């Protein structure tokens, strides 16, 4: 009996004429050098930081080469599928401004001419190619049961021979078509395996974009192509999809390197052009005891992409950070091109760290601080409004009703050569400026961080004298400071630090101690940004109110 009869029995309703797919999904008409890349997650509902880094590079390179970036959902492994899992991924990508040119845009919709972009909807395509391979004698049904495979593995372990379904171990490979057809007709369950034409002794070379040449043995394993549920396994789906979707660059985790011989063989027997491959190392962190370990979605909150959104770390800062860890020469480039857009940077696959990437939240927060410090107060205000609207309604209501006031606060020490770098994220801003808002300041039990001068009567005298006899709203910064000094002289504190240092015993304290009293009375804190600016923004009435807190005995 012929292969064709076998193939027709297995796939009666599918044509093995795969040319229709070649025609339906033609070569893309793109400029020379354009990269077509894809992000291909399982619908697990969220994006891990390691995958975000991959998605970021896969998105970046097409963007800078007039190429295409698309999202494909790999849902052929039911175990990795969660309800609404596609939407979760789409949200995470959207939150990071990773936009797609083609692919899945919701649980039920997609855009682009190379779909369907969800693997479970491509069943017929995989079947068509599987049928073709059966006809060509390059694939066959395997009837081995789970117990038989386990027993084979045990024997291999016992004999200390290579594990796997290959050569003489591949029991079903040499069945005759008659035997196969009979078993199928008898209702025996089967899967479809590749009849590998490879020899383990032969060597093949992977020209990895990141790692250079890697030599590996040729594949001789009769891997599964189509599982018992009728869906393909990763290897088969990957090769067919990336061919038909005309992917030029496959970027994926290093755990796939060892599967390359299978993929390369499938590309070759299906007569497809192989894409370029780049295998990325795992994203790691240094844990409490100083050792490196894989960033774990179970142990590390920062492994989930939603963490950054919830914290209000600006997307652009995360992008800068991702690029810093993606390409080892990016930081130096940015230092010499501070005004350029990240998209002017020429990405180099060879500059991806091979040994894995160290993920460092502190560094990300520093980049974020730096980034926010360069925005205008108006921009920070807008972003803060957007952030608090989603995550802090109380603060949102306060700032939305006090736009100019809040913007002025955010502007403190911003318009200067070296702007102040207080805020590492939008969730952090409230911690720095809450005291400027009466609603948050008078919480009934504010604790004042008075330093050297903490005698209640002395504090009261200083504040009263200052507000009644010295402070005037119209004063410029110089006059303002002169007046604080005059207050010092009047009350027996040194207005001149040099004099104070020479003879501290002659004074009750110094000008810094007096300023601290004013600062703490106004903000509760002994360390704040510029006191003069804070006072200007508060205005005399509110200053008086805050000082009056100390006028009770
Ligand atoms: N679905 C595969 C994974 O999540 C994708 C690997 C690839 O990009 O080819 O690991």
């Amino acid at each position: 009996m012929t292969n064709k009869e076998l193939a027709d029995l297995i796939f009666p309703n599918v044509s093995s004429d795969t040319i229709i797919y070649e025609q339906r999904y033609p070569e893309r008409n793109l400029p020379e050098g354009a990269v077509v890349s894809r992000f291909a997650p399982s619908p697990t509902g969220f994006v891990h930081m390691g995958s975000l880094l991959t998605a970021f590079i896969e998105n970046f390179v097409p963007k800078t080469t007039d190429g295409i970036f698309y999202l494909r959902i790999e849902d052929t492994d039911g175990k990795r599928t969660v309800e609404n899992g596609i939407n979760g991924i789409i949200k995470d990508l959207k939150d990071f401004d990773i936009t797609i040119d083609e692919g899945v845009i919701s649980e039920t919709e997609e855009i682009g001419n190379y779909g369907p972009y969800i693997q479970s909807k491509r069943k017929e395509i995989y079947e068509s190619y599987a049928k073709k391979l059966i006809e060509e004698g390059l694939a066959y049904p395997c009837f081995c049961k789970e117990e038989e495979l386990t027993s084979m593995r045990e024997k291999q372990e016992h004999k200390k021979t290579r594990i796997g379904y290959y050569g003489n171990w591949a029991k079903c490979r040499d069945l005759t078509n008659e035997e196969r057809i009979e078993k199928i007709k008898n209702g025996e369950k089967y899967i479809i395996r590749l009849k590998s034409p490879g020899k383990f002794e032969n060597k093949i070379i992977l020209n990895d974009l990141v790692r250079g040449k890697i030599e590996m043995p040729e594949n001789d394993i009769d891997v599964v192509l189509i599982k018992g549920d009728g869906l393909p396994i990763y290897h088969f789906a990957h090769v067919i999809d990336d061919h038909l979707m005309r992917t030029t660059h496959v970027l994926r985790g290093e755990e796939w390197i060892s599967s390359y011989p299978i993929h390369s063989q499938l590309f070759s027997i299906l007569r497809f052009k192989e894409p370029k491959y780049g295998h990325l190392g795992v994203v790691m962190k240094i844990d409490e005891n100083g050792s490196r370990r894989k960033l774990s979605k179970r142990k590390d909150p920062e492994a989930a992409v939603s963490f950054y959104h919830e914290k209000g770390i600006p997307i652009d800062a995360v992008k800068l950070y991702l690029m810093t860890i993606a390409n080892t020469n990016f930081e130096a480039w940015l230092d010499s091109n501070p005004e350029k857009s990240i998209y002017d940077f020429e990405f180099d696959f060879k500059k991806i760290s091979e040994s894995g990437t160290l993920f460092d939240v502190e560094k990300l927060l520093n980049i974020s601080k730096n980034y926010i410090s360069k925005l205008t107060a108006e921009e920070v205000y807008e972003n803060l409004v957007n952030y608090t609207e989603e995550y802090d309604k109380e603060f949102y209501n306060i700032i939305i009703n006090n736009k100019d006031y809040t913007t002025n606060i955010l502007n403190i020490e911003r318009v200067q050569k070296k702007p102040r770098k207080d805020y590492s994220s939008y969730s952090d801003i409230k911690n720095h400026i809450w005291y400027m808002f009466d609603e948050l300041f008078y919480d009934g039990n504010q604790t004042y961080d008075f330093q050297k001068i903490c005698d209640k009567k002395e504090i009261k005298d200083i504040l009263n004298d200052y507000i009644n006899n010295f402070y005037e709203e119209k004063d410029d910064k110089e006059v303002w400071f002169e007046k604080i000094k005059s207050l010092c002289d009047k009350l027996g504190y040194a207005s001149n630090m040099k004099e104070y240092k020479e003879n501290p015993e002659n004074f009750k304290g110094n000008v810094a101690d007096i300023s601290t009293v004013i600062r703490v009375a106004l903000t509760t804190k002994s360390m704040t940004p510029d006191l003069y600016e804070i006072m200007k923004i508060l205005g005399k009435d509110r200053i008086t109110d805050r000082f009056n807190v100390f006028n009770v005995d």
Side-chain angles (χ1 to χ4, degrees), residues 130-144:
K131 185 169 186 180
K132 184 176 143 100
L133 289 181
I134 295 173
E135 284 180 11
E136 291 173 355
L138 286 163
Y140 62 89
C142 167
F143 303 90
C144 287

Side-chain angles (χ1 to χ4, degrees), residues 495-506:
S495 57
N496 178 316
M497 284 310 263
K498 195 161 161 266
E499 280 174 26
Y500 176 72
K501 278 193 186 131
E502 278 162 15
N503 294 301
E505 66 288 354
N506 292 350

Side-chain angles (χ1 to χ4, degrees), residues 38 234-242 250 252 263 267 277:
R38 83 297 192 274
Y234 172 76
H235 309 304
F236 197 45
H238 150 54
V239 169
I240 292 176
D241 292 350
D242 281 311
V250 170
R252 60 186 181 183
H263 305 156
F267 272 103
Y277 284 96

Side-chain angles (χ1 to χ4, degrees), residues 38-42 51 54 58 72-75 80 119 234 238 242 250-253 255-256 263 277:
R38 83 297 192 274
F39 183 46
S42 300
S51 328
T54 314
E58 287 164 341
R72 181 171 74 223
I73 298 295
E74 306 210 322
D75 62 344
R80 302 193 65 201
Q119 286 183 329
Y234 172 76
H238 150 54
D242 281 311
V250 170
L251 298 184
R252 60 186 181 183
E255 68 275 17
W256 294 112
H263 305 156
Y277 284 96

Side-chain angles (χ1 to χ4, degrees), residues 61-163:
V61 181
K63 245 195 180 125
T64 52
T65 57
D66 293 327
I68 298 286
F69 170 63
Y70 68 88
L71 173 63
R72 181 171 74 223
I73 298 295
E74 306 210 322
D75 62 344
T76 60
D77 177 1
K79 287 195 289 297
R80 302 193 65 201
T81 301
V82 303
E83 206 182 318
N84 242 337
I86 297 181
N87 279 346
I89 287 172
I90 291 171
K91 177 173 183 338
D92 279 349
L93 292 181
K94 189 164 155 272
D95 285 346
F96 278 89
D97 207 14
I98 295 183
T99 49
I100 60 166
D101 302 304
E102 281 174 20
V104 178
I105 54 167
S106 77
E107 296 282 336
T108 51
E109 298 155 290
E110 55 179 43
I111 49 168
N113 297 329
Y114 287 78
Y117 296 88
I118 298 186
Q119 286 183 329
S120 56
K121 297 193 174 152
R122 303 172 61 76
K123 196 160 172 257
E124 198 182 316
I125 303 179
Y126 306 125
E127 286 175 347
S128 178
Y129 282 95
K131 185 169 186 180
K132 184 176 143 100
L133 289 181
I134 295 173
E135 284 180 11
E136 291 173 355
L138 286 163
Y140 62 89
C142 167
F143 303 90
C144 287
K145 299 195 178 54
E146 209 40 58
E147 311 84 74
E148 291 175 88
L149 295 174
T150 311
S151 129
M152 176 192 85
R153 206 171 308 125
E154 282 165 3
K155 280 190 198 137
Q156 288 173 333
E157 271 164 15
H158 185 73
K159 286 190 151 186
K160 297 203 172 9
T161 185
R162 204 154 45 85
I163 308 289

Side-chain angles (χ1 to χ4, degrees), residues 85 88 118 135 190 192 200 229 243 256 333 361 387 414 419 422-423 449-450 452 486 520 545:
I118 298 186
E135 284 180 11
Y190 60 91
I192 306 294
F200 190 70
D229 63 3
H243 168 67
W256 294 112
W333 177 86
V361 178
Y387 173 77
R414 179 165 297 272
D422 281 341
Y423 318 133
D449 183 23
F450 284 113
K452 250 169 75 187
S486 308
V520 175
D545 289 344

Side-chain angles (χ1 to χ4, degrees), residues 171-205:
K171 262 177 60 186
C172 292
R173 146 186 273 245
D174 296 322
L175 293 178
T176 62
N177 282 341
E178 283 72 14
E179 289 168 316
R180 287 170 177 150
I181 290 171
E182 195 188 321
K183 279 174 180 288
I184 294 173
K185 288 193 170 155
N186 285 340
E188 280 193 43
K189 297 244 175 316
Y190 60 91
I191 53 169
I192 306 294
R193 283 187 188 272
L194 167 73
K195 188 168 180 185
S196 172
K199 286 203 177 59
F200 190 70
E201 307 73 62
N202 292 348
K203 297 282 176 240
I204 61 157
I205 303 271

